[in-house]
């Protein structure tokens, strides 16, 4: 898409200078606005044409039956699907007696801009109706970061060549008809008219609709209010019905005398509160929005984003397109997590219905590292959500016959919704991923995390450690084995001793031991005794990490390196992604890797491998990794950079960053790939910046590829803000706020003092032979734009 001439490269916005109807579904995802609580796809104001209408509320789902060909004990019976809730974006326009619709008449110009600094979506169009009436229509849409239940739209229509009568209809529409969902397993399951009316009301310029789901027992409300500014004689009336709220405004407009409208929207939902209570909550939010006014909401939005960019911006010099993509990525990661507040952060954020709106390990492994170092409160909230679902995870562990907690592979509310257990329940590394996110957050937040650790962290670590202790066992040689599990790579399943899983479980077990030592009071409450912590320590110390000494590499799981190699030579480009063309049965038996698995272990458990092991393992897995998942390129960028393949790291970083702007997985229509967008930060900061956080001290080993002359990034760490600027031959560390900080630069411990930027040299990367990828699966070689 970004390659289309309609999308110029700009540092602080994504602009479309003419309407590309073929990409409408994709641009609806790209132009989606969200604060983590409300999500509005970038649908056109007038509602049609659309690729996929979408309005979502974090955590608001309907239950649907999961069908199985053969039933089996412990299969999840109920799935959860995110609901397309009441659409409050719609503002229809009638010019004289013709509806404004870009498919008719003449669209003289059309521009949409996602403004990453102001946090709004702007649109302007000049349209000539089939009867020859020319109008200019413009709108600005925002979803408020400061008021989580609020969104607003500024709308203006002005005739261009003489007085014209217009009618504007501002609506709330529930149970929109959605296009048929596709066969793609990554898309959403079907839900028809999921909401039933519970109440509706209108008065003046205000309307409110309340609906409940049929099975999940949730109640939501959407409300709208308006400020109308039109020429003398402008009239309006309001109506409401079960599934429709409508304000109709009629005006005689003229050049220089436009009709202006501010539409305030409020949303809320609850599983507990009554219909009147939810209605009143939303009504109150609407009044707050009106009180702030359009200018007030815009100012708050700007202030929120000024602070975000101050602490999170990444500057890239030498590749303007990458710069744009990096900021786009950071903006959407913020949108996904900022105000999710103890609700799941979905794989697509709130930008589309893909994967049914489920959250996966994507949150803890890819999104939370970014939030931890840029928006720590949001990371704490996301882990708080996991903590809130602990009882469900304990119940699931009991059902499976294990101790502790078994967190779901995919869910919205907390129950396991993965209907395919080899790549669902068996992917129990999610438990260690959660534990790792806890450890990372606590280390980065420092004293700011004391209450979090006591109330949230300790229990998550203890319950996940208990799972590992009961899931694995000591064999006759004393090794601790974790058999029959699925690691990150979904082209392998039910393997013994997946290296990533075992190393992550090891960290989890040791972190639980540490947490208990720091919080003896919590130990008593959680019934942890000395014997139990000793068993965790023993398991961690005896953890089996398979190694293939013939090849000098780590098999990603026991036996993997003896499997038959995939026949890449005979696989055609159209046969990717392989999961659409080959049975899992065959993929599982061969050496072919969907996404970084062992290579991810080299990153997050880099402390467990030597430099030479990393280089050999990376080269081995490069030949096998096809990147049929978007959760791979960023990790390959990180390790490519670490072992010295800087140009390859750059190529992978760009792939992660451009995943949605270039629709690289061909499914951006269903929503953005939030993990890959977060992976852009990981590829830049952990990849080119070489940042690691293994043992409480931040270390950096920055190096740039040829094309980039400067990379700068900011981190929030232990009540400080650190700026890291990397150039070809040196890096500079500055404290933007807070007291002195000890870090590691290319292996040397140094202390950064306030007001005294520290510059250190960068030695050349070790020279190594370039690794190769499966035929046709190398990342696109980057030729940067000026
Ligand atoms: C990947 C998983 C990921 C999921 C949701 C799958 O294709 O293999 O690792 O969690 O997508 O993004």
């Amino acid at each position: 898409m970004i390659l289309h001439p309609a999308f110029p490269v700009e540092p602080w916005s994504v602009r479309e200078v003419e309407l590309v109807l073929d990409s409408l579904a994709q641009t609806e995802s790209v132009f989606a606005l969200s604060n983590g609580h409300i999500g509005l796809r970038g649908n056109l104001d007038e509602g049609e044409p659309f690729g996929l209408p979408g309005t979502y509320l974090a955590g608001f789902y309907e239950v649907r039956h999961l069908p199985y060909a053969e039933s089996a004990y412990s299969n999840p019976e109920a799935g959860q699907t995110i609901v397309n809730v009441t659409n409050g974006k719609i503002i229809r326009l009638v010019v004289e007696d013709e509806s404004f619709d870009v498919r008719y008449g003449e669209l003289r110009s059309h521009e949409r801009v996602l403004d990453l600094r102001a946090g709004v979506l702007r649109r302007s169009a000049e349209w000539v109706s089939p009867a020859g009436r020319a109008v200019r229509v413009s709108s600005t849409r925002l979803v408020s970061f400061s008021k989580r239940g609020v969104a607003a739209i500024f709308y203006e229509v002005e005739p261009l060549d003489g007085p014209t009568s217009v009618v504007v209809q501002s609506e709330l529409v529930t149970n929109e008809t959605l296009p048929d969902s596709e066969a793609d397993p990554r898309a959403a399951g079907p839900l028809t008219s999921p909401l039933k009316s519970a109440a509706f009301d209108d008065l003046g310029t205000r309307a409110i609709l309340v609906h409940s789901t049929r099975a999940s027992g949730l109640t939501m409300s959407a409300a709208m209010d308006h400020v109308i500014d039109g020429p003398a004689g402008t009239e309006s009336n309001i109506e409401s019905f079960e599934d429709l709220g409508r304000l109709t405004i009629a005006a005689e407009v003229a050049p220089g005398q436009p009709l202006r409208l501010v539409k305030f929207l409020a949303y809320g939902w609850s599983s507990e509160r009554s219909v009147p209570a939810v209605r009143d909550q939303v009504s109150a939010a609407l009044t707050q929005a009106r009180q702030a006014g359009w200018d007030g909401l815009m100012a708050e939005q700007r202030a929120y984003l000024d602070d975000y960019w101050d602490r999170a911006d990444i500057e890239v010099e030498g590749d303007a397109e990458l710069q744009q993509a990096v900021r786009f990525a950071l903006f959407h990661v913020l949108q996904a997590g900022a105000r999710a507040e103890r609700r799941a952060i979905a794989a697509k954020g709130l930008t589309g219905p893909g994967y049914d709106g489920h959250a996966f390990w994507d949150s803890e492994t890819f999104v939370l590292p970014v939030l931890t170092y840029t928006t720590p409160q949001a990371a704490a909230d996301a882990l708080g959500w996991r903590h809130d679902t602990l009882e469900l995870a304990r119940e699931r562990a009991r059902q499976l016959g294990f101790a502790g907690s078994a967190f779901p592979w995919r869910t919205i509310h907390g129950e396991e919704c993965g209907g395919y257990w080899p790549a669902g329940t068996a992917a129990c590394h999610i438990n260690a991923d959660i534990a790792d996110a806890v450890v990372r957050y606590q280390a980065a937040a420092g004293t700011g995390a004391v209450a979090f650790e006591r109330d949230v962290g300790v229990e998550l670590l203890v319950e996940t450690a208990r799972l590992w202790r009961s899931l694995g066992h000591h064999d006759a040689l004393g090794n601790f084995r974790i058999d029959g599990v699925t690691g990150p790579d979904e082209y392998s399943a039910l393997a013994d001793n997946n290296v990533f899983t075992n190393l992550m479980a090891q960290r989890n077990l040791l972190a639980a031991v540490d947490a208990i030592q720091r919080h003896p009071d919590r130990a008593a409450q959680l019934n942890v005794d000395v014997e139990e912590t000793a068993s965790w320590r023993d398991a961690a110390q005896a953890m089996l990490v398979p190694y293939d000494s013939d090849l000098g590499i780590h098999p990603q799981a026991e036996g993997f390196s003896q499997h038959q190699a995939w026949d890449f030579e005979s696989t055609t480009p159209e046969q990717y992604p392989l999961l659409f063309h080959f049975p899992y049965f065959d993929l599982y038996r061969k050496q072919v890797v969907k996404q970084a698995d062992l290579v991810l272990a080299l990153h997050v458990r880099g402390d467990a491998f030597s430099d030479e092991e990393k280089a050999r393992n990376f080269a081995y897995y490069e030949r096998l990794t096809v990147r049929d998942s978007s959760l791979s390129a960023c990790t390959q960028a990180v390790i490519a950079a670490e072992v010295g393949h800087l140009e390859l790291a750059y190529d992978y970083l760009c792939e992660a960053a451009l995943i949605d702007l270039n629709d690289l997985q061909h499914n951006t229509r269903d929503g953005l790939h939030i993990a890959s967008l977060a992976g852009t930060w990981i590829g830049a900061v952990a990849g080119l910046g070489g940042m690691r956080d293994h043992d409480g001290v931040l270390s950096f080993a920055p190096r740039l590829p040829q094309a980039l002359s400067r990379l700068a990034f900011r981190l929030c760490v232990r009540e400080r803000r650190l700026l890291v600027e990397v150039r070809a031959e040196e890096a500079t560390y500055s404290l933007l706020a807070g007291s002195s900080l000890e870090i590691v630069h290319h292996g040397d411990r140094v202390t950064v003092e306030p007001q005294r930027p520290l510059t250190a040299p960068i030695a050349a990367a070790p020279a190594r032979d370039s690794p190769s990828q499966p035929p046709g699966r190398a990342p696109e070689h980057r030729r940067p734009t000026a």
Side-chain angles (χ1 to χ4, degrees):
M1 168 194 127
I2 213 75
L3 307 171
H4 189 288
F7 298 90
V9 175
E10 294 176 4
W12 283 104
S13 46
V14 177
R15 186 184 301 271
E16 180 200 45
V17 298
E18 66 180 88
L19 185 62
V20 186
L21 275 177
D22 291 347
S23 304
L24 200 53
Q26 185 197 344
T27 48
E28 287 165 356
S29 299
V30 166
F31 290 148
L33 293 179
S34 174
N35 56 13
H37 177 57
I38 302 173
L40 308 182
R41 277 173 66 78
N43 302 111
L44 301 178
D45 299 297
E46 57 280 11
E48 293 174 34
F50 57 75
L52 196 61
T55 305
Y56 312 103
L57 298 177
F60 192 85
Y61 68 96
E62 179 55 310
V63 174
R64 68 185 173 89
H65 179 65
L66 284 178
Y68 294 97
E70 286 179 44
S71 62
Y73 173 76
S74 87
N75 267 349
E77 298 294 337
Q80 296 165 2
T81 298
I82 192 165
V83 175
N84 176 38
V85 300
T86 302
N87 183 355
K89 295 173 297 229
I90 296 183
I91 301 180
R92 300 191 209 277
L93 169 67
V94 179
V95 178
E96 297 290 348
D97 53 8
E98 284 170 306
S99 294
F100 169 46
D101 184 318
V102 296
R103 292 167 296 190
Y104 302 103
E106 184 203 344
L107 192 61
R108 279 197 199 146
S109 67
H110 190 276
E111 183 171 274
R112 290 188 286 174
V113 187
L114 180 66
D115 182 331
L116 308 173
R117 280 203 127 130
V120 297
L121 177 65
R122 295 200 175 85
R123 178 195 189 200
S124 59
E126 276 187 28
W127 181 72
V128 187
S129 71
R133 295 307 189 123
V135 289
R136 183 185 305 116
V137 180
S138 46
S139 69
T140 304
R141 188 186 285 173
L142 75 76
V143 174
S144 174
F145 283 112
S146 52
K147 296 186 169 46
R148 79 195 273 260
V150 168
I153 303 166
F154 181 87
Y155 188 89
E156 181 179 285
V157 52
E158 181 177 2
L160 295 173
D161 43 27
T164 305
S165 84
V166 295
V167 176
V168 168
Q169 294 166 309
S170 170
E171 303 189 351
L172 295 172
V173 178
T174 312
N175 290 319
E176 292 170 299
T177 310
L178 298 177
D180 288 339
S181 52
E182 308 144 274
D184 188 333
R186 302 167 299 182
L191 277 185
T192 318
S193 294
L195 296 170
K196 58 178 196 296
S197 173
F200 58 89
D201 199 5
D202 61 71
L203 184 69
T205 51
R206 206 180 242 243
I208 187 160
L209 307 182
V210 188
H211 287 84
S212 298
T213 54
R214 289 168 209 279
S216 60
L218 308 182
T219 297
M220 61 112 0
S221 178
M224 62 176 181
D225 198 354
H226 302 81
V227 174
I228 304 168
D229 171 13
T234 298
E235 287 204 3
S236 73
N237 82 294
I238 188 95
E239 302 161 279
S240 60
F241 308 92
E242 288 199 338
D243 284 354
L244 176 68
R246 182 168 55 210
L247 174 77
T248 307
I249 308 161
E252 291 294 327
V253 290
Q257 288 185 304
L259 172 66
R260 295 200 180 102
L261 176 71
V262 178
K263 179 177 193 175
F264 298 102
L265 286 164
Y267 284 93
W269 71 269
S270 174
S271 60
E272 304 284 339
R273 289 197 301 280
S274 65
V275 167
V278 174
R279 180 200 60 202
D280 292 355
Q281 171 200 337
V282 169
S283 185
L286 199 56
T287 304
Q288 269 184 338
R290 244 197 108 116
Q291 187 197 29
W294 175 255
D295 292 341
L297 291 177
M298 285 287 280
E300 286 171 15
Q301 190 83 340
R302 180 73 194 209
Y304 187 97
L305 282 163
D306 281 350
D307 191 47
Y308 177 62
W309 292 116
D310 250 9
R311 57 181 201 266
D313 188 27
I314 297 183
E315 295 160 79
V316 179
E317 285 173 23
D319 186 338
E321 192 178 287
L322 178 61
Q323 173 69 83
Q324 178 183 38
V326 163
R327 292 206 175 112
F328 169 79
L330 286 171
F331 181 73
H332 273 292
V333 172
L334 177 74
Q335 291 208 117
R339 304 295 308 268
E341 288 169 27
R342 296 180 98 109
R343 299 279 168 214
I345 300 176
K348 305 285 174 195
L350 295 173
T351 66
Y355 285 122
D356 277 321
H358 290 167
F360 297 71
W361 72 310
D362 303 36
S363 315
E364 280 79 11
T365 304
F366 297 88
V367 176
L368 291 202
V370 187
L371 293 179
T372 294
Y373 290 107
T374 62
T375 311
Q377 185 54 46
D381 285 344
L383 292 166
W385 167 69
R386 288 290 188 190
H387 186 262
D388 292 344
T389 66
L390 249 175
E391 204 37 57
L392 295 171
R394 283 195 196 100
E395 175 54 35
R396 179 71 176 156
R398 275 195 292 276
Q399 187 185 38
L400 298 170
F402 301 124
S405 62
F407 281 98
W409 176 244
R410 51 188 295 174
T411 191
I412 295 176
H413 179 259
E415 295 85 354
E416 178 61 81
C417 297
Y420 178 63
W421 67 276
T425 298
C428 41
H429 65 83
I430 178 122
N431 293 282
D433 305 333
I434 294 169
D436 187 42
V438 167
V439 172
R440 177 179 301 108
Y441 169 74
Q442 289 178 175
T447 51
V450 175
F452 171 91
E453 181 170 16
R454 194 188 51 240
D455 301 339
V456 173
V458 179
E459 197 171 4
L460 284 172
L461 294 173
V462 164
E463 294 293 26
T464 47
R466 283 177 165 156
L467 176 83
W468 295 117
R469 185 61 196 81
S470 69
L471 192 59
H473 73 285
H474 289 277
D475 65 13
L477 299 172
N479 293 319
F480 191 79
R481 305 177 56 92
I482 302 174
D483 293 331
V485 301
T486 300
D489 166 28
E490 294 192 346
Y491 287 170
S492 283
L494 307 179
D496 294 345
N497 299 303
N498 171 263
V499 170
F500 173 84
T501 306
N502 286 19
L503 287 175
M504 294 298 281
Q506 180 183 55
R507 172 175 286 166
N508 190 161
L509 289 158
L510 293 175
V513 174
D514 284 353
I516 284 302
Q517 277 165 357
R518 281 198 302 273
H519 296 270
D521 54 324
R522 295 292 284 136
Q525 288 158 359
L526 297 168
N527 296 320
V528 183
D529 56 23
V530 180
E531 216 175 306
E532 187 172 23
T533 48
S535 78
W536 298 341
R537 200 182 289 111
D538 291 349
Q541 277 160 3
M543 190 65 73
L544 186 72
V545 179
Y547 185 72
D548 183 331
S549 44
D550 293 338
L551 293 171
I553 56 116
H554 290 82
Q556 75 179 27
E558 244 171 18
F560 178 83
S561 49
Q562 281 127 47
H563 290 179
Q564 188 181 350
W566 186 261
D567 185 358
F568 290 111
E569 298 296 335
S570 321
T571 310
T572 63
E574 305 72 50
Q575 287 177 310
Y576 292 95
L578 299 178
L579 67 118
F580 290 172
H581 303 276
F582 298 93
Y584 277 119
F585 174 60
D586 206 28
L587 293 164
Y588 290 171
R589 301 173 332 112
K590 308 247 168 88
Q591 289 194 64
V592 53
V593 177
K594 181 185 183 191
Q595 62 201 106
D597 184 309
L598 193 281
V599 174
L600 182 58
L602 301 180
H603 173 200
V604 289
R605 284 303 319 272
D607 53 330
F609 301 88
S610 71
D611 291 350
E612 283 313 308
E613 284 172 348
K614 284 179 188 166
R616 282 198 308 271
N617 279 319
F618 181 70
Y620 186 83
Y621 287 95
E622 275 298 278
R623 292 197 282 109
L624 303 174
T625 305
V626 294
R627 296 196 315 293
D628 281 352
S629 161
S630 66
L631 281 64
S632 196
C634 66
T635 303
Q636 288 169 268
V638 170
I639 300 303
E642 179 170 357
V643 303
H645 307 302
L646 290 165
E647 303 308 315
L648 182 60
Y650 176 44
D651 295 345
Y652 280 133
L653 166 62
C654 292
E655 182 173 303
L658 291 166
I659 195 90
D660 289 310
L661 290 174
N662 281 350
D663 197 9
L664 297 177
Q665 296 269 335
H666 311 292
N667 64 348
T668 293
R669 53 164 283 132
D670 296 325
L672 302 178
H673 300 80
I674 299 297
S676 184
L677 297 178
T680 306
W681 182 96
I682 296 174
V685 173
L688 302 182
M691 191 272 259
R692 297 291 183 278
D693 48 10
H694 295 319
D695 47 13
V697 178
L698 282 191
S699 62
F700 300 88
R703 279 196 182 103
L704 294 183
Q706 283 291 326
L708 302 188
S709 51
R710 178 173 172 269
L711 171 77
F713 54 88
R714 292 146 178 80
L715 301 171
C716 302
V717 57
R718 275 173 251 139
E719 280 107 36
R720 296 160 178 94
R721 285 190 189 186
L722 180 69
L723 169 67
V724 182
E725 294 172 270
V726 189
R727 293 194 169 74
E729 287 173 3
E730 59 184 35
T732 303
Y733 303 87
S734 318
L735 275 169
L736 302 178
S739 54
S740 60
L741 179 72
E742 196 180 18
I743 58 160
V744 174
H745 169 82
H746 279 287
D748 297 332
R749 267 184 191 254
V750 291
T751 303
V752 191
E753 306 282 357
Q755 269 105 47
R756 293 182 52 194
L758 184 146
T759 298
I762 297 175
R768 289 200 167 95
D769 293 342
S770 297
S772 61
Q773 292 78 29
R777 304 307 286 171
E780 189 177 320
H781 183 53
R782 186 75 186 154
R783 277 179 228 92
T785 54

